Amino acid sequence: PSPLADRGAWRILAQFLKTEMNYGEMEEKLCSYLGDRYLADDWKDAKATLFSGEDDIGACLKNLEILRKRYIPRPVSKSFTFHRMHTKQL
């Protein structure tokens, strides 16, 4: 799977926005986490969203989440899956 589908990598980007982590620390942590799967060009758009809301961290987080969903769609809820399984049996 693509490194862009790795939830842990996206958490590191969000940590940059939510904590006192500086950009260099975020880069280092992301590179270390992904290892040889890390390619800077893959993460260009994601890194740009970190500054997309200027001084509005909430806007940056929202933009990061929108981009993340392109690579990691939300899983189908368990109740929906359960309902579908039992509906098919009827």
Side-chain angles (χ1 to χ4, degrees):
S2 166
L4 289 163
D6 189 311
R7 292 180 190 281
W10 290 94
R11 278 193 290 271
I12 292 168
L13 296 172
Q15 275 182 331
F16 168 74
L17 294 171
K18 295 177 180 180
T19 68
E20 297 296 317
M21 180 187 293
N22 68 44
Y23 190 82
E25 291 170 330
M26 182 273 302
E27 270 284 334
E28 186 177 318
K29 192 169 184 176
L30 186 62
C31 289
S32 175
Y33 176 78
L34 291 172
D36 62 355
R37 299 182 308 144
Y38 177 80
L39 294 172
D41 282 347
D42 289 348
W43 294 95
K44 181 178 57 171
D45 291 340
K47 290 177 187 177
T49 64
L50 299 176
F51 303 98
S52 61
E54 297 181 20
D55 292 332
D56 184 347
I57 301 300
C60 294
L61 284 166
K62 182 178 178 181
N63 294 336
L64 186 65
E65 179 66 10
I66 290 168
L67 184 61
R68 183 196 64 81
K69 285 180 182 179
R70 286 190 203 165
Y71 300 100
I72 308 174
R74 285 201 178 272
V76 175
S77 74
K78 290 179 184 178
S79 61
F80 179 75
T81 303
F82 180 80
H83 175 72
R84 287 187 65 202
M85 285 174 34
H86 291 316
T87 304
K88 286 181 180 180
Q89 292 176 357
L90 297 176

